[in-house]
Amino acid sequence: MRYRNKLKIIADILKATGDGSNKTRIMYLANLSYHLLEKYLTMVIKARLLHNNGGKYEITEKGKAFLEKYEKYSKKISKISKELETIKFEKRVLEEMCEAP
């Protein structure tokens, strides 16, 4: 099982917020414990990616820009990871070719 990193969790929270959501909805959609939700909500509010409008959390323009940049970043990382796997496979093939029968 692979764990999410900080940026992925923040992106999941921003996506879960949509046009406005309460804590419970964000917690379930972002698949977070209450403790982690509290920690990250504090962080994203301080960073002005979300704002609290009377118990309803809403994404800010900065939050929308973050999501856009994160999606581009995520696609690049995915592409590089696939390329790296191909390179590792090619290396194994070359190493096997050097082994005596």
Side-chain angles (χ1 to χ4, degrees):
M1 183 172 157
R2 192 172 165 143
Y3 294 98
R4 295 179 288 177
N5 64 28
K6 176 181 169 181
L7 295 177
K8 174 67 172 143
I9 292 171
I10 291 170
D12 288 346
I13 289 170
L14 296 177
K15 288 177 193 173
T17 302
D19 292 330
S21 295
N22 62 26
K23 281 185 185 180
T24 304
R25 181 167 171 78
I26 296 168
M27 184 173 75
Y28 285 108
L29 291 176
N31 194 27
L32 293 169
S33 68
Y34 183 78
H35 173 74
L36 280 177
L37 176 68
E38 286 292 316
K39 173 185 170 182
Y40 279 94
L41 277 179
T42 299
M43 186 186 314
V44 297
I45 289 170
K46 282 182 181 178
R48 297 188 174 146
L49 300 173
L50 283 182
H51 67 90
N52 184 347
N53 188 6
K56 185 177 180 181
Y57 294 87
E58 298 172 341
I59 192 167
T60 63
E61 288 303 315
K62 184 178 177 184
K64 290 175 185 176
F66 173 91
L67 270 181
E68 188 177 306
K69 288 182 182 298
Y70 179 80
E71 290 302 321
K72 290 177 184 177
Y73 161 82
S74 183
K75 287 177 184 175
K76 287 177 184 178
I77 289 292
S78 179
K79 182 179 177 183
I80 290 169
S81 294
K82 289 176 186 172
E83 288 179 20
L84 186 57
E85 287 303 313
T86 300
I87 290 168
K88 287 179 182 178
F89 174 76
E90 290 171 352
K91 179 183 175 190
R92 282 193 306 271
V93 169
L94 289 169
E95 289 170 343
E96 288 173 5
M97 291 174 76
C98 294
E99 294 175 4

